[in-house]
Amino acid sequence: MNALVALCHFCELHGPRTLFCTEALHPPSPSPSQAGAAVPGDRDRDGDREGEGLTMRANSSASQRGEMCEGCRSLPASHPGFVSIDDETGIRFLSHQHPRQSQLFSVVRQACVRSLSCEVCPGREGPIFFGDEQHGFVFSHTFFIKDSLARGFQRWYSIVMVAMDRIYLINSWPFLLRHLRLTIQSLQSTALKVFDNEQGVCPQRAVRMNSVFSPAVYPHQRSGSAARSLTSLTQHPNLWASLHSSFSWLLKACGSRLTEKLLEGAPTEDTLVLKERQTEQEEEISCWEGGEGVSSRLQLNQLERELGDFPCDKGQGVEFPGPHFRSLRHLRLVLGAPEFRQLVWHVLMGNQVIWRGADPGLIQSAFTVLKALLPVGCVRLIPYSAQYEEAYRCNFLGLSPDVTIPAHVSSSEFSVLVDVANTEKSCQYSAVSEDDIASMYQFINSSANVQPTDKGPTLLNKLEVALSNENLSVEVVSHCLLCLKEEWMNKVKVLFKFSKVDGRGREDTQKVLAVLGATGPGEDDNVRLLKFWMTGLSKTYKSHLMTAVRGVERSPSQ
């Protein structure tokens, strides 16, 4: 990430000062040979540190060095600074009191002054965003550190991140706020312990009330301790090395969490839904991390487990040993064409699909294959559970073999159960090929549904034609499925706009279904599919439609 992190301090004697700064240097020509030669050489690395330290120190004039007090200084003048190298990218993270380049020095200096003077949030503690195209944009978080010898028993600090990319910095606001607060809370808690110990030995409030106050000699009345370093306030021997590690990780993580991706045309519904879920998860986790104590951490862990039920979230990346389903064609080959069609019919209709067996890896691979049939917004997945979960919580449910299915679920036509029974060969699956899953397991489909599944929906008929065509590779079939999903998702949008937003009657809706090609054989299944997929539309699309309709309604009166 092309950004810079700095710790700033408002000195009682000299005003706003930059204490510590971490920047990222990208390699001019990243090649494997150069990267391999740079990392192992400790002597070369020490030489780089010394050269960088001399360059950094050259940026400060003699007058500035003369004006620096203990509170304005982080590292000694002889200290070369800190350097960390990312072996994957070859990026070097350098930390010293001031940036290496003179242009960056002025930018950071201005950000420091503004963050500790005019650009403050209500209460003077908290995050704020400011900046412009010329001097860069700044994310600043101001905070206080306890000091028994300071005015008001506290000193004012800020951590600023400076970048030229305004959009990137704004999009990183929740991430930066969450992790900078951890660093700030660590500094405050450490300094608070030192403050309490000093107050216990010599309470300064009583001393100041009993002494004669003179503004001219106020610093000297405290034995020349008006300027105390952050190291003295926290009693942390490796404070600057710790801050270097924290700031370096922040630059690396913030740069890798958001990546640019070239999209052709408007974003798909799946992309919008995934973005909305990611935003909701970050907001929920941020709210829970604001709490304190063991109960808050337990509630946060519970929240993360619940969020893991969504697709492409935590718990989905765990790989289990043993055989797996690789594709829809592989699943159809193992189950058989009739059973596969019945299972996929239930998936497309929105019924609850339950797999019960002792192999969670096999069940999870089946769900990974099957959920590709649906839009992301229609998938509610619990990969493996020790108890039954109701259909409103999940439409894909994996169960251990000893779980009993409730009677109202077994007799319901809106669910299908696949029992996975082990055979004798399953105990020796290491000696059996993964392709021979049918010889290792026995799959039994059961459902109370009595409706025929051989007529529709149309999407299923076209999918089976593609799967049965051996001339089409698995990749081609995947692209066919993607095109079919987009085609039917467009039909869902038209039907939603026509029936839900415009409020048309049944006859008009029937005409629209005919135009969409959803009538004829399998019409009932097509309508059920469209209504179920309507629940997977993103909130962004729905709000856009409602806003457009309200705008059209207001325009005649205007």
Side-chain angles (χ1 to χ4, degrees), residues 458-459 462 486-499 508-520 523 526-527 530-531 534:
T458 306
L459 187 149
K462 293 182 178 180
E486 286 299 312
E487 175 189 352
W488 281 85
M489 206 62 195
N490 289 331
K491 296 179 181 181
V492 169
K493 293 179 180 179
V494 173
L495 184 61
F496 176 81
K497 171 68 168 60
F498 196 82
S499 60
D508 294 337
T509 303
Q510 194 67 23
K511 294 178 182 179
V512 172
L513 292 175
V515 173
L516 296 176
T519 57
E523 176 180 349
N526 288 331
V527 173
L530 292 172
K531 290 182 178 180
M534 205 178 292

Side-chain angles (χ1 to χ4, degrees), residues 175-191:
F175 176 83
L176 294 174
L177 181 61
R178 182 163 63 249
H179 291 283
L180 286 181
R181 276 179 175 173
L182 295 177
T183 303
I184 292 171
Q185 290 172 1
S186 177
L187 291 174
Q188 289 177 331
S189 61
T190 307

Side-chain angles (χ1 to χ4, degrees), residues 269-271 273-274 277 311-312 374-380 485 536:
E269 283 298 304
D270 287 356
T271 304
V273 171
L274 288 175
R277 287 183 174 178
C312 304
L374 299 177
V376 172
C378 295
V379 177
R380 302 183 308 278
K485 286 171 59 178

Side-chain angles (χ1 to χ4, degrees), residues 177-476:
L177 181 61
R178 182 163 63 249
H179 291 283
L180 286 181
R181 276 179 175 173
L182 295 177
T183 303
I184 292 171
Q185 290 172 1
S186 177
L187 291 174
Q188 289 177 331
S189 61
T190 307
L192 182 60
K193 295 178 182 178
V194 177
F195 175 81
D196 292 337
N197 292 335
E198 292 178 349
Q199 288 291 84
V201 174
C202 181
Q204 288 294 318
R205 188 179 300 275
V207 173
R208 297 182 188 182
M209 293 181 65
N210 296 327
S211 61
V212 179
F213 175 76
S214 176
V217 296
Y218 180 73
H220 303 285
Q221 288 179 335
R222 288 172 286 157
S223 302
S225 301
R228 298 179 66 186
S229 65
L230 188 58
T231 306
S232 174
L233 297 179
T234 59
Q235 296 297 319
H236 194 313
N238 299 317
L239 173 65
W240 305 116
S242 177
L243 285 178
H244 166 75
S245 300
S246 177
F247 290 171
S248 300
W249 179 90
L250 187 66
L251 289 173
K252 175 180 172 58
C254 191
S256 60
R257 64 181 295 271
L258 296 179
T259 57
E260 294 182 352
K261 184 176 182 181
L262 179 62
L263 298 177
E264 297 180 0
T268 62
E269 283 298 304
D270 287 356
T271 304
L272 293 176
V273 171
L274 288 175
K275 181 63 178 177
E276 290 172 357
R277 287 183 174 178
Q278 180 184 0
T279 304
E280 291 175 358
Q281 291 177 19
E282 290 181 352
E283 291 176 353
E284 291 286 347
I285 293 176
S286 298
C287 293
W288 285 111
E289 284 185 345
E292 299 179 355
V294 178
S295 60
S296 298
R297 290 193 294 270
L298 294 176
Q299 290 172 334
L300 174 60
N301 295 333
Q302 180 181 0
L303 172 65
E304 291 178 345
R305 287 196 299 270
E306 293 176 355
L307 293 176
D309 297 342
F310 290 120
C312 304
D313 283 335
K314 299 177 182 178
Q316 304 301 312
V318 180
E319 294 185 1
F320 296 91
H324 292 76
F325 291 109
R326 301 186 305 275
S327 63
L328 285 171
R329 178 174 288 169
H330 186 205
L331 181 63
R332 184 172 183 264
L333 179 64
V334 173
L335 297 182
E339 289 76 10
F340 174 81
R341 183 180 180 90
Q342 181 191 25
L343 179 63
V344 173
W345 183 88
H346 282 278
V347 172
L348 295 176
M349 294 299 103
N351 297 338
Q352 189 177 40
V353 178
I354 307 172
W355 282 61
R356 183 170 59 182
D359 191 343
L362 182 71
I363 295 176
Q364 181 172 320
S365 67
F367 288 154
T368 303
V369 170
L370 289 173
K371 73 181 183 181
L373 296 165
L374 299 177
V376 172
C378 295
V379 177
R380 302 183 308 278
L381 170 64
I382 297 181
Y384 204 70
S385 175
Q387 62 181 5
Y388 172 76
E389 301 289 348
E390 294 293 340
Y392 72 89
R393 290 207 62 216
C394 59
N395 55 341
F396 291 99
L397 175 61
L399 297 176
S400 54
D402 56 342
V403 177
T404 302
I405 305 297
H408 72 277
V409 178
S410 303
S411 59
S412 172
E413 61 180 278
F414 301 108
S415 65
V416 59
L417 172 65
V418 180
D419 274 311
V420 184
N422 296 347
T423 62
E424 296 180 357
K425 291 185 179 181
S426 63
C427 300
Q428 303 174 349
Y429 69 81
S430 59
V432 182
S433 173
E434 185 176 317
D435 297 331
D436 197 16
I437 295 181
S439 64
M440 302 168 57
Y441 300 96
Q442 183 180 3
F443 301 92
I444 305 172
N445 291 18
S446 58
S447 176
N449 177 64
V450 295
Q451 298 182 10
T453 61
D454 55 346
K455 293 183 179 181
T458 306
L459 187 149
L460 177 55
N461 296 335
K462 293 182 178 180
L463 176 62
E464 282 218 306
V465 171
L467 290 173
S468 59
N469 189 348
E470 297 295 338
N471 295 324
L472 301 180
S473 64
V474 175
E475 290 77 12
V476 173

Side-chain angles (χ1 to χ4, degrees), residues 137-197:
F137 299 94
V138 181
F139 174 89
S140 171
H141 196 301
T142 53
F143 59 98
F144 289 105
I145 293 291
K146 283 292 186 179
D147 180 9
S148 60
L149 300 181
R151 298 176 183 176
F153 299 104
Q154 59 187 10
R155 297 187 184 272
W156 202 17
Y157 291 84
S158 70
I159 298 178
V160 297
M161 174 172 277
V162 186
M164 300 303 297
D165 193 338
R166 176 176 62 89
I167 301 299
Y168 199 103
L169 203 57
I170 292 177
N171 289 336
S172 302
W173 178 288
F175 176 83
L176 294 174
L177 181 61
R178 182 163 63 249
H179 291 283
L180 286 181
R181 276 179 175 173
L182 295 177
T183 303
I184 292 171
Q185 290 172 1
S186 177
L187 291 174
Q188 289 177 331
S189 61
T190 307
L192 182 60
K193 295 178 182 178
V194 177
F195 175 81
D196 292 337
N197 292 335

